[in-house]
Amino acid sequence: MIGRRAVLASPALLGAGCASAQVPPPIPQAAAGPGLHARAAAKGLMFGAALNTGQLAEPDTTAAIRAECGLLVAEYEMKWDQVEPNRGDRRFRLPDRLMEFARVNRMAMRGHTLVWHESDPPWMGRLDARALANAMQDHIEATVGRWRGRIGTWDVVNEAVRAEDGRVDWLRRTRMLEVLGPDYIPAAFRAARAADPAARLAYNDFGCEHATVAARRKRMGVLALLRGLKRAGAPVDVLGVQAHLQAGQPFAADEWQDFLSDVAELGLTIEVTELDMNDRALPADVAARDAGSADLVRRFLEATLAQRAVRAVVTWGLSDRHSWVHAGRLPEHRRRDSARARPLPLDDAMRRKPMWHAIAIALDGAPSRA
Ligand code: G3I
């Protein structure tokens, strides 16, 4: 295993953080020693990635997943719009294939995600309060119940906080909120607990990580929600921080660690659930871009993993080949030049990039949870 000391002593492997370091070209997998999950497990942590069934047909992708991951999550095929496209018409064939791949490869699975305004099935829009409450209950019972005992953590509610919506409770104005009121959130957690008492139940959100006014407001809203859920006795166990990082935005380890401490003091554990890097603000030059991305990822993860309540790191895909960022759904993802985004630890050819080394350094240097 390449220890942190060895890596730090060899600028070529540093990847970033030292201005003088020569950023290494992407290197074949075997060249840099144990995979990221092996390094995580040595510290009592887990490392994994999001995937979809289309990637199961790619031998180089599945080989890289086997080499790097001990934890998987469905990028979209476990979401409500996918598993119940019509009321009562439940379709689990595709997520079952992901569950089977995880089982055969002795990997854990995260469940993602039960209630999210962006994956509300279209038929939901026509339901009144009673019908919608029943539909959510039935969906959670059926979906969580299908893999009872096989999902470590469920993202029960996703992205329910939006300060810009101006509510005193910081909640996002979604269809669920409009029809059922804020109680849809504890109700979802209670339904999930009843369906699988063994699963840890998470609230998952994005935009908390940076030292910006927007992130500070987001963190206040998330903390307010978590404190309210705990006061109400809702069975919430985990905060999922998505960590879709933005190169060029400031990151302050101290204020981030203060937030993580506040969450841990509620008795929650924390999981990094969708780590990737929007490198739009970095130069087109690959070496420079990779170095900048790796430096921010390393600083973020070193600060995050110093908090012992943090138990897992999941990237939102493993290889640049599969990143959602290429879809350009968000304006802030669209580069002005023709350069292709490089958001993830492996490049299109499944070679380990400086970001991979940054994650390895952070995992190797993390305090042990074992
Ligand atoms: O692969 C199918 C294709 O066969 C089909 O022809 C096409 C049209 O229906 O759909 C394709 O699947 C799409 C898939 O992305 C492709 O990767 C799904 O419709 C589409 O819903 C899916 O979008 C996902 C999105 O969540 C909405 O579920 C993205 O993959 C996924 O990266 C994104 O992930 C979210 C997290 O769940 C929550 N946090 C933010 C993150 C990024 O938006």
Side-chain angles (χ1 to χ4, degrees), residues 268-297:
L268 303 181
T269 59
I270 298 154
E271 297 176 15
V272 175
T273 54
E274 304 182 16
L275 176 62
D276 60 12
M277 177 66 66
N278 175 5
D279 62 12
R280 178 176 182 267
L282 295 176
D285 175 74
V286 165
R289 193 143 47 104
D290 280 359
S293 294
D295 178 57
L296 177 52
V297 164

Side-chain angles (χ1 to χ4, degrees), residues 52 74-77 79 81-82 112-113 116 118-119 158-159 204 206 242 244 274 316 322-324 329-330 333:
N52 60 55
E75 182 177 17
Y76 67 96
E77 290 161 313
K79 292 170 183 171
D81 60 340
Q82 304 291 320
H112 177 79
T113 178
W116 180 36
E118 287 197 26
S119 58
N158 192 48
E159 303 177 13
N204 191 50
F206 70 94
Q242 292 182 13
H244 292 294
E274 304 182 16
W316 204 240
H322 303 119
S323 175
W324 69 292
R329 285 174 46 224
L330 302 181
H333 283 164

Side-chain angles (χ1 to χ4, degrees), residues 81-99:
D81 60 340
Q82 304 291 320
V83 299
E84 192 180 3
N86 307 294
R87 182 73 172 99
D89 170 14
R90 301 191 193 283
R91 302 187 188 173
F92 294 121
R93 183 176 61 84
L94 295 178
D96 279 344
R97 287 191 57 207
L98 298 176
M99 292 295 293

Side-chain angles (χ1 to χ4, degrees), residues 14-335:
L14 260 185
C18 296
S20 60
Q22 289 302 313
V23 174
I27 57 174
Q29 285 215 288
L36 294 174
H37 180 65
R39 294 166 186 266
K43 296 300 180 78
L45 291 160
M46 300 187 83
F47 176 83
L51 82 168
N52 60 55
T53 54
Q55 294 158 19
L56 298 183
E58 301 171 6
D60 59 347
T61 298
T62 53
I65 289 171
R66 290 190 186 96
E68 305 291 356
C69 298
L71 175 63
L72 298 177
V73 60
E75 182 177 17
Y76 67 96
E77 290 161 313
M78 217 175 252
K79 292 170 183 171
W80 198 351
D81 60 340
Q82 304 291 320
V83 299
E84 192 180 3
N86 307 294
R87 182 73 172 99
D89 170 14
R90 301 191 193 283
R91 302 187 188 173
F92 294 121
R93 183 176 61 84
L94 295 178
D96 279 344
R97 287 191 57 207
L98 298 176
M99 292 295 293
E100 181 61 6
F101 177 83
R103 185 190 68 81
V104 166
N105 290 286
R106 302 181 188 285
M107 295 177 185
M109 275 295 283
R110 296 193 83 256
H112 177 79
T113 178
L114 294 170
V115 178
W116 180 36
H117 61 284
E118 287 197 26
S119 58
D120 285 348
W123 48 265
M124 231 182 80
R126 301 185 294 275
L127 302 184
D128 64 16
R130 174 186 296 272
L132 182 55
N134 290 340
M136 184 182 79
Q137 176 73 28
D138 294 347
H139 161 58
I140 293 174
E141 262 176 26
T143 306
V144 175
R146 183 168 185 87
W147 301 296
R148 183 184 175 103
R150 298 175 57 198
I151 298 274
T153 302
W154 266 106
D155 289 334
V156 177
V157 173
N158 192 48
E159 303 177 13
V161 169
R162 188 169 191 272
E164 295 78 2
D165 283 0
R167 286 177 53 98
V168 292
D169 58 12
W170 304 85
L171 292 183
R172 182 186 294 269
R173 295 181 187 276
T174 64
R175 174 89 179 124
M176 277 292 190
L177 182 77
E178 177 192 318
V179 177
L180 298 180
D183 283 352
Y184 84 91
I185 299 175
F189 278 91
R190 283 193 289 271
R193 177 69 94 227
D196 186 353
R200 294 182 63 73
L201 304 181
Y203 173 73
N204 191 50
D205 215 330
F206 70 94
C208 293
E209 298 80 13
H210 285 285
T212 61
V213 169
R216 288 172 186 134
R217 294 178 72 196
K218 184 64 170 253
R219 294 197 292 266
M220 288 172 69
V222 167
L223 272 176
L225 172 61
L226 294 175
R227 286 172 174 147
L229 288 172
K230 294 300 279 186
R231 273 197 305 274
V236 55
D237 309 304
V238 181
L239 171 65
V241 290
Q242 292 182 13
H244 292 294
L245 301 181
Q246 309 289 329
Q249 286 200 9
F251 172 71
D254 55 352
E255 71 179 64
W256 175 242
Q257 290 176 327
D258 289 347
F259 169 70
L260 297 180
S261 297
D262 290 342
V263 173
E265 281 165 18
L266 293 173
L268 303 181
T269 59
I270 298 154
E271 297 176 15
V272 175
T273 54
E274 304 182 16
L275 176 62
D276 60 12
M277 177 66 66
N278 175 5
D279 62 12
R280 178 176 182 267
L282 295 176
D285 175 74
V286 165
R289 193 143 47 104
D290 280 359
S293 294
D295 178 57
L296 177 52
V297 164
R298 180 181 54 77
R299 288 187 293 119
F300 170 75
L301 283 182
E302 286 181 340
T304 303
L305 293 171
Q307 170 50 256
R308 280 177 164 77
V310 177
R311 299 300 169 83
V313 176
V314 173
T315 52
W316 204 240
L318 193 57
S319 157
D320 294 340
R321 184 190 303 174
H322 303 119
S323 175
W324 69 292
V325 169
H326 301 316
R329 285 174 46 224
L330 302 181
E332 61 268 28
H333 283 164
R334 297 180 206 128
R335 291 185 64 92

